[in-house]
Amino acid sequence: MLSSKKIKSALLSVFYKNGLDEIVQYLSSNGVKIYSTGGTLSFIEGLGAEAQAVESLTGYPSILGGRVKTLHPKVFGGILARRNTPDDLAQLEQYEIPEIDLVIADLYPFEETLASGASEAEIIEKIDVGGISLIRAAAKNYSDVAVVASRRQYAELLAMLKENGCGTTLANRKYLAAQAFNVSSHYDSAIFSYFNRSEHIPSFKQSVHGAMPLRYGENPHQKAAFYGSFGEMFDQLHGKEVSYNNLLDIDAAVSLIREFVAPTFAILKHNNACGAASRATLPEAWRAALAGDPVSAFGGVLVCNRELDRETAAEVSRLFCEVVIAPAYSAEGLAILKQKKNRILLAAKTLELPATQSRALLNGVAAQDRDLRAETEKDLTSVTTAKPTAEQVEDLLFANRLVKHAKSNAIVLAKNRQLLAAGVGQTSRVDALRQAVAKAGTFGFSLQGAVMASDAFFPFPDCVEIAHKAGVAAIIQPGGSVNDRQSVEYCNANGVAMVTTGVRHFKH
């Protein structure tokens, strides 16, 4: 067994006391001198254990409404003193400062207070000063001092102490120090993010506790993990572990389905919708979505915005799919879908996503506002002699929501609130359109009376001409090209309705 350093004295000052009792009793039974403060001291004494108030050590009471309790040389000297440095030990003796071998301190619940909608004054009061100072000091001096900065580590600490005869090894202390700095850095990042809401200091900080291990990354030779709170967004009701590629598709699916209010089903493959439809009922929406591309649907990610009922589940179950996402499942529907043991079934708790997005690029991170613009009928400007009918406007808005979430360059062809075909991820808009037209034909769709949506403007009238000749009757696009007039003139000459939104929706 590695040599361990016995704990002779400990300082306990915590906000959360659940689970602390076993540690207190163990320390007390091993003759450890315990120092404590305020509510923690009362808690320890309530267990029948002895502890000395920090105030009696420092000679100062808790002041400023509890803002200053432990900030004193007699506390921090005992924590920071280097046990292998004679001068440090001499000063401890000179100033009658006891050595402290273990610090257990957590932090005021800043993030929880912020999330509760508390006032600014209440939030500021939950910025910990003494606790984080104790944690940093103990972690810095890990050669001699053990530190625990979170109640999540109480059980782990107790196991260490028992294994080492009420002591810790150097490896234990270094590990605990790393965990402590993880806690303190996350805490400071949260505080900075709060202040930076209004100050807009050009600094990127993001801290996430915990990681969900993934089988591998995009490919089997790539290691991967997800840093986030997957369980806050979904309950996984069935199936294998979620993969990296599943997560990418799940993110795309959630972003897409948020756009729709009517019963809607979408099928995604490689982050793009290959099928989507809105109907009066969910079974009808599923059938129309699947008809859009039953080939690409194989192995896809399915998402809907209504409870997945028995009838729909029975039809969905005939298709091999990786993931199904719904706000809820009927008991019968869930039982049917569970018949495939690996099929991942997710119940969405919330579809709320962060307002900003970030992506690792080159040697840094690029951050941007999430594209939350959702055009409505009032945002449409008719630029042609022919005006879209009410039904066409509905289809244009439907197609525009889909193209917003397709990889650029992107074209969407739709009719009767059904995705007929999409051309995505092409290096030219013409190629994207030709891909969509050809794909619609492959699955037997007539484009007569269909609408077309483009994620960006048409630099030339060629796309408008190709779409018209394929049967498209109405077009929605951002507009803004120096050659807009050429596209409008072609539409006017051929009775095609065109509306512009003034909003580009590139997605890369």
Side-chain angles (χ1 to χ4, degrees):
M1 184 176 72
L2 295 174
S3 62
S4 64
K5 183 179 185 298
K6 188 171 177 62
I7 303 294
K8 298 178 182 178
S9 59
L11 172 62
L12 279 60
S13 181
V14 299
F15 187 88
Y16 296 105
K17 298 162 183 75
N18 293 343
L20 187 64
D21 52 345
E22 287 188 73
I23 294 174
V24 170
Q25 290 163 350
Y26 182 81
L27 294 175
S28 182
S29 67
N30 280 272
V32 175
K33 175 73 173 180
I34 299 175
Y35 300 94
S36 193
T37 63
T40 309
L41 178 62
S42 299
F43 174 81
I44 294 170
E45 292 174 338
L47 296 172
E50 293 186 6
Q52 180 179 341
V54 167
E55 290 88 343
S56 68
L57 172 64
T58 63
Y60 279 86
S62 173
I63 61 174
L64 306 182
R67 282 189 165 196
V68 179
K69 295 191 288 281
T70 58
L71 296 168
H72 193 281
K74 283 207 169 184
V75 174
F76 282 86
I79 296 171
L80 286 165
R82 293 158 291 190
R83 304 328 193 239
N84 62 353
T85 303
D87 286 350
D88 284 9
L89 298 179
Q91 289 182 48
L92 291 186
E93 185 175 357
Q94 178 184 357
Y95 296 109
E96 299 181 339
I97 300 174
E99 294 179 8
I100 295 175
D101 305 316
L102 169 65
V103 172
I104 302 177
D106 60 12
L107 301 170
Y108 291 159
F110 176 83
E111 289 180 282
E112 293 87 340
T113 304
L114 179 61
S116 73
S119 68
E120 183 174 19
E122 291 172 311
I123 293 168
I124 297 303
E125 280 306 307
K126 287 299 183 287
I127 296 177
D128 206 307
V129 177
I132 204 160
S133 300
L134 291 171
I135 289 166
R136 289 182 64 86
K140 176 177 180 175
N141 200 26
Y142 72 87
S143 292
D144 297 300
V145 180
V147 59
V148 166
S150 168
R151 65 186 185 276
R152 297 182 182 90
Q153 287 187 277
Y154 287 172
E156 192 172 22
L157 171 66
L158 187 59
M160 285 180 185
L161 295 176
K162 289 180 177 179
E163 183 180 350
N164 294 287
C166 198
T168 57
T169 66
L170 179 61
N172 290 155
R173 295 191 296 276
K174 189 171 184 179
Y175 164 77
L176 292 172
Q179 292 281 10
F181 283 122
N182 181 37
V183 170
S184 65
S185 62
H186 177 84
Y187 194 77
D188 283 339
S189 292
I191 295 169
F192 169 77
S193 295
Y194 168 71
F195 279 94
N196 210 36
R197 289 179 178 182
S198 58
E199 302 307 320
H200 307 297
I201 297 167
S203 179
F204 179 85
K205 287 181 174 62
Q206 187 171 31
S207 177
V208 180
H209 273 319
M212 183 172 76
L214 304 174
R215 296 194 303 275
Y216 51 78
E218 284 187 278
N219 301 291
H221 63 275
Q222 295 171 270
K223 294 181 181 179
F226 172 68
Y227 296 92
S229 300
F230 190 77
E232 288 185 6
M233 291 196 68
F234 304 100
D235 283 326
Q236 182 167 349
L237 306 179
H238 184 71
K240 62 186 179 182
E241 292 179 354
V242 173
S243 72
Y244 183 93
N245 291 331
N246 289 154
L247 284 173
L248 295 178
D249 281 326
I250 291 167
D251 178 74
V254 167
S255 297
L256 174 62
I257 204 67
R258 293 173 76 245
E259 302 279 354
F260 298 93
V261 176
T264 301
F265 225 115
I267 305 169
L268 287 89
K269 199 76 172 286
H270 297 293
N271 312 155
N272 292 296
C274 59
S278 294
R279 290 290 184 267
T281 67
L282 197 63
E284 293 175 294
W286 163 250
R287 293 174 198 128
L290 180 61
D293 186 347
V295 175
S296 295
F298 182 86
V301 169
L302 318 182
V303 63
C304 63
N305 60 358
R306 294 292 190 278
E307 178 181 277
L308 216 160
D309 57 88
R310 181 195 61 78
E311 180 183 354
T312 311
E315 296 190 30
V316 166
S317 193
R318 297 176 195 144
L319 174 75
F320 168 72
C321 59
E322 287 275 330
V323 183
V324 181
I325 308 167
Y329 299 78
S330 71
E332 292 176 314
L334 184 60
I336 291 170
L337 292 170
K338 280 185 173 181
Q339 291 173 6
K340 297 291 185 182
K341 71 173 186 176
N342 288 329
R343 181 184 287 146
I344 297 168
L345 303 179
L346 300 177
K349 298 178 183 179
T350 176
L351 296 180
E352 289 303 310
L353 295 168
T356 57
Q357 295 173 299
S358 58
R359 178 187 293 187
L361 294 177
L362 301 175
N363 62 350
V365 175
Q368 67 171 359
D369 294 336
R370 186 178 293 276
D371 185 358
L372 298 176
R373 285 292 295 269
E375 289 74 52
T376 63
E377 186 173 357
K378 68 179 182 180
D379 299 309
L380 307 184
T381 300
S382 179
V383 294
T384 53
T385 303
K387 307 301 178 188
T389 65
E391 291 78 10
Q392 286 174 336
V393 167
E394 194 172 20
D395 280 344
L396 288 168
L397 292 172
F398 174 85
N400 194 56
R401 295 186 191 104
L402 292 176
V403 83
K404 170 184 171 182
H405 295 276
K407 292 294 179 72
S408 301
N409 288 305
I411 292 288
V412 162
L413 302 176
K415 186 177 181 181
N416 298 329
R417 296 185 301 162
Q418 178 187 22
L419 172 61
L420 304 183
V424 299
Q426 298 302 303
T427 52
S428 83
R429 198 155 302 282
V430 170
D431 285 346
L433 175 55
R434 285 177 174 152
Q435 181 189 62
V437 170
K439 193 170 185 180
T442 298
F443 296 108
F445 288 113
S446 168
L447 294 178
Q448 293 300 316
V451 305
M452 175 175 74
S454 174
D455 63 339
F457 62 61
F458 300 115
F460 304 103
D462 44 8
C463 282
V464 173
E465 182 178 354
I466 294 169
H468 165 247
K469 289 180 178 178
V472 168
I475 298 169
I476 185 170
Q477 56 122 342
S481 168
V482 294
N483 292 324
D484 272 352
R485 175 173 290 277
Q486 295 178 27
S487 294
V488 171
E489 288 175 349
Y490 182 91
C491 288
N492 285 337
N494 293 277
V496 177
M498 178 184 285
V499 297
T500 60
T501 63
V503 180
R504 189 182 73 182
H505 288 297
F506 268 167
K507 184 182 179 186
H508 295 97

